Amino acid sequence: MAFWVTNMQHNKKEVATLALVALITIAMASVNPYYASLASKGLIAGIFALGINVIVGHTGLLPFCHAIFYALGAYVVIAGQLYWDWNLVHAVLVALVVVAFAGAVVGAISLRLGGLGFVMATLAFGELFHTIALRWRSVTGGSDGLIGYVAPQIGMFDLNTPLVVFSLNLVCLVLISGLCLRMLRTPFGHGIAGVRENAQRMEALGYSIYGIRLQAFIVSAVICGCAGVLMALTDQYAAADMFHWAVTGDGIVSILLGGVSTVTGPLVGALLLVLLRAFGSSYFAYWHLLVGVVLIVVVLWMPKGIVGSMGGLLKTTQKGV
Amino acid sequence: MTTLISSVVNGLAAAAILFFISSGLSLVFGFMNILNLAHGSLFMLGGFLMVTATVKTGSFLAGLGITVCGMALIGALLHLTLIRRLVRATLYEQILVTFGLIYVISDCAKWAWGPTIRSVEVPELWDGVFKIADAYIPKYRILLIISAFVVVLVLWLVLENSRIGDRVKAGVYNLSVASALGINVDRLFSVLFISSAILAGIGGALGAPIMGAYLGLDLDILISALIVVIVGGLGSVRGALLGSVLLGLGESIGKTFAPELAALVPYIVMLVILVAKPDGLLGNKYATQ
């Protein structure tokens, strides 16, 4: 449980998981370009799940809105370059600022509510953005999406080759995981853990629960925004479907498969889910059934999770928190 | 005027379908304290069962009967295997398990009925239109409104004016005390859950001639049902009724006069209600605590 305590052994476990994910994806990427882009998708899904887990695992709330930040990141990067001729770096920076702002707005309103209210408010926000994206076809391209974007060449790196994009994704994944692990050892990270473990006591100590949760929410939104930006560069495409709440649902399933109370566990869960989808759907049309059964079994009968431990979420969150 | 009449009738028909789905969702949350995200999946199953049953029997009424029996069976099975384990679970466990159930039911439906959209023919007696003022109103919409009225009446009689209703309420106020008093809470809850499954199934079956039955209907209708119960008040049948009428009428009138903005209004209303009045317009205070 107490993973935020500076514990060398625990950190070793996190680093080992990260190395495992890196090795598997590098092995995949070295086979052929198709596997390289599949590995990219796994890494991006991992960053997305890791971002959501800042809220799920580290504050104990269940959000259904993170597809907003993922899709916004992708849209701003592509639209900025396609419509306004920004260069890549500017587009990425603007995308992250937009995502942080959206995270602040959605978080500021949703975090006023606890438990069920929070779930419902985040769901409403997600579907609000989804509907806007579907209807405002002149800007978003609706369900067809924005097409015709070609990633630029930076120095000797051509972002149109799967291997280069894969390397970019891998570097980003390692950087973000490292920053996340580091963040949890800062006073802010301890604050997040404190609010999750005993909100009343933290309040009595003079901390603002709302403030800490809001900061965590914005961090989590920005990480999911990064995943969206990387997805835009990998697929060179952004569509309204990226706003769908099932996208967030996939992230939450990855977290549960990988283990809530770890930083790198969700990476494994996400990679597993992406691989299942890619291979499962070609051999077995009903792979969603498997995911559903696994989810039910894990929650009801295996509270420790498959890879790590999901006990952190289920034990510390009382009904209607 | 003509457009107003037809959009009001269409809105009320939509409200009828919304009431079928949201009343069950609200009952299960209000009385059993379980948030069943797979409730939309039960609605979709009802639609699919209706498609098969009407094709096999050739009769709308027989099809509806078979659908009701089928849904009762499915409800009993789900309660026995999963739902009863959720009575004492945390909210998040309930959300995650029923979210998994969405996946399972969706793939089972895909296996049984395939990915194409199916429809049901309107029964002959109710085919055609009524002429009210200058507006042509499909007879089937009137049938929908009448059947929802009947269900409202039945629910009101059972829950507010019978011993069953009292027992159910005792179970909600205090599970342990109700059991100690000799009320078989487990059986009571199984009846409640089966009723909610039947209600959702009837909604899907009666909705099938209008909206069809297709994969993805589960998530579409779930979102609408959640909006209805949040706006009306989770856990109260009156709230589900008010929410259904507001959303049904609002969407239908909105679509006629401001089609682009109308789609956004439900979500904005839901957010405003959540922030300003978290228990909904007619919320059951004790149910949402």
Side-chain angles (χ1 to χ4, degrees), chain A residues 102-219:
Chain A
V105 172
V106 172
I109 295 175
S110 308
L111 286 167
R112 291 165 56 108
L113 304 151
L116 184 67
F118 179 79
V119 176
M120 289 299 143
T122 50
L123 192 63
F125 268 117
E127 283 306 287
L128 183 65
F129 275 82
H130 184 208
T131 313
I132 293 175
L134 277 176
R135 302 274 159 152
W136 202 5
R137 297 189 63 89
S138 56
V139 172
T140 63
S143 44
D144 299 331
L146 291 183
I147 40 178
Y149 167 71
V150 179
Q153 190 157 1
I154 298 172
M156 54 183 291
F157 300 113
D158 182 4
L159 280 175
N160 291 300
T161 47
L163 219 53
V164 172
V165 175
F166 166 77
S167 316
L168 175 71
N169 287 327
L170 187 61
V171 169
C172 288
L173 177 96
V174 172
L175 270 178
I176 291 174
S177 313
L179 282 175
C180 236
L181 281 168
R182 186 74 196 81
M183 180 189 80
L184 291 168
R185 283 193 274 149
T186 62
F188 170 58
H190 292 289
I192 295 178
V195 168
R196 179 194 53 197
E197 294 300 306
N198 195 332
Q200 264 180 331
R201 188 173 290 177
M202 285 298 281
E203 199 158 33
L205 287 171
Y207 289 93
S208 156
I209 296 175
Y210 180 76
I212 290 178
R213 281 185 174 163
L214 186 57
Q215 288 172 39
F217 197 93
I218 295 171
V219 169

Side-chain angles (χ1 to χ4, degrees), chain B residues 69-142:
Chain B
C69 297
M71 291 312 295
L73 206 69
I74 292 169
L77 206 70
L78 284 179
H79 181 262
L80 206 65
T81 50
L82 288 180
I83 303 299
R84 61 194 296 190
R85 290 174 206 278
L86 294 180
V87 173
R88 288 167 201 275
T90 64
L91 176 68
Y92 292 158
E93 285 171 317
Q94 295 173 353
I95 288 178
L96 296 170
V97 168
T98 53
F99 188 67
L101 196 56
I102 292 179
Y103 279 145
V104 173
I105 295 180
S106 165
D107 260 9
C108 289
K110 189 167 143 195
W111 171 73
W113 286 282
T116 47
I117 180 165
R118 307 291 196 87
S119 188
V120 171
E121 278 184 31
V122 174
E124 256 173 54
L125 190 62
W126 289 90
D127 214 357
V129 290
F130 289 123
K131 196 159 178 268
I132 302 173
D134 276 333
Y136 290 96
I137 308 295
K139 286 182 186 173
Y140 187 72
R141 313 260 158 158
I142 305 287

Side-chain angles (χ1 to χ4, degrees), chain B:
Chain B
M1 192 59 198
T2 316
T3 40
L4 188 65
I5 291 178
S6 56
S7 63
V8 165
V9 174
N10 284 342
L12 286 176
I17 295 178
L18 284 174
F19 180 75
F20 279 114
I21 174 117
S22 56
S23 56
L25 185 68
S26 207
L27 271 180
V28 168
F29 187 83
F31 292 119
M32 297 166 67
N33 236 327
I34 291 177
L35 181 67
N36 178 18
L37 284 189
H39 200 64
S41 312
L42 296 174
F43 181 92
M44 179 182 75
L45 275 184
F48 276 127
L49 278 177
M50 185 70 179
V51 169
T52 308
T54 44
V55 169
K56 292 268 193 252
T57 61
S59 141
F60 191 85
L61 258 186
L64 193 60
I66 293 175
T67 305
V68 168
C69 297
M71 291 312 295
L73 206 69
I74 292 169
L77 206 70
L78 284 179
H79 181 262
L80 206 65
T81 50
L82 288 180
I83 303 299
R84 61 194 296 190
R85 290 174 206 278
L86 294 180
V87 173
R88 288 167 201 275
T90 64
L91 176 68
Y92 292 158
E93 285 171 317
Q94 295 173 353
I95 288 178
L96 296 170
V97 168
T98 53
F99 188 67
L101 196 56
I102 292 179
Y103 279 145
V104 173
I105 295 180
S106 165
D107 260 9
C108 289
K110 189 167 143 195
W111 171 73
W113 286 282
T116 47
I117 180 165
R118 307 291 196 87
S119 188
V120 171
E121 278 184 31
V122 174
E124 256 173 54
L125 190 62
W126 289 90
D127 214 357
V129 290
F130 289 123
K131 196 159 178 268
I132 302 173
D134 276 333
Y136 290 96
I137 308 295
K139 286 182 186 173
Y140 187 72
R141 313 260 158 158
I142 305 287
L143 176 69
L144 276 177
I145 297 170
I146 295 172
S147 49
F149 256 116
V150 174
V151 171
V152 170
L153 208 65
V154 169
L155 281 178
W156 181 71
L157 283 176
V158 171
L159 289 174
E160 299 295 328
N161 297 302
S162 78
R163 285 188 64 113
I164 306 178
D166 293 340
R167 287 175 188 214
V168 172
K169 279 175 204 153
V172 186
Y173 278 122
N174 196 326
L175 210 72
S176 327
V177 172
S179 322
L181 286 173
I183 297 174
N184 188 339
V185 178
D186 191 46
R187 201 179 60 198
L188 207 60
F189 280 3
S190 105
V191 172
L192 252 171
F193 186 77
I194 291 170
S195 316
S196 92
I198 292 176
L199 277 174
I202 294 178
L206 292 183
I210 295 177
M211 56 211 302
Y214 56 93
L215 294 173
L217 176 62
D218 48 355
L219 295 188
D220 293 349
I221 199 78
L222 174 69
I223 295 285
S224 305
L226 286 173
I227 295 174
V228 165
V229 295
I230 291 293
V231 170
L234 200 44
S236 100
V237 175
R238 284 184 311 152
L241 182 61
L242 178 68
S244 303
V245 173
L246 283 180
L247 185 67
L249 279 183
E251 276 212 319
S252 148
I253 294 175
K255 256 182 210 154
T256 325
F257 297 104
E260 287 304 314
L261 288 176
L264 304 181
V265 173
Y267 305 112
I268 295 171
V269 171
M270 181 178 175
L271 283 170
V272 170
I273 294 274
L274 273 170
V275 171
K277 206 167 180 313
D279 286 321
L281 294 176
L282 295 175
N284 235 354
K285 272 257 156 61
Y286 67 85
T288 42
Q289 269 167 12

Side-chain angles (χ1 to χ4, degrees), chain A residues 256-267:
Chain A
L256 289 173
L257 292 182
V260 160
S261 57
T262 62
V263 171
T264 50
L267 304 179

Side-chain angles (χ1 to χ4, degrees), chain A residues 38-57:
Chain A
L38 194 61
S40 282
K41 296 221 166 75
L43 294 176
I44 293 166
I47 296 175
F48 182 61
L50 190 146
I52 300 179
N53 199 33
V54 171
I55 290 297
V56 178

Side-chain angles (χ1 to χ4, degrees), chain A residues 288-306:
Chain A
H288 254 131
L289 181 95
L290 269 178
V291 174
V293 170
V294 167
L295 189 58
I296 292 170
V297 169
V298 165
V299 175
L300 283 182
W301 288 284
M302 296 168 62
K304 288 274 175 196
I306 291 186

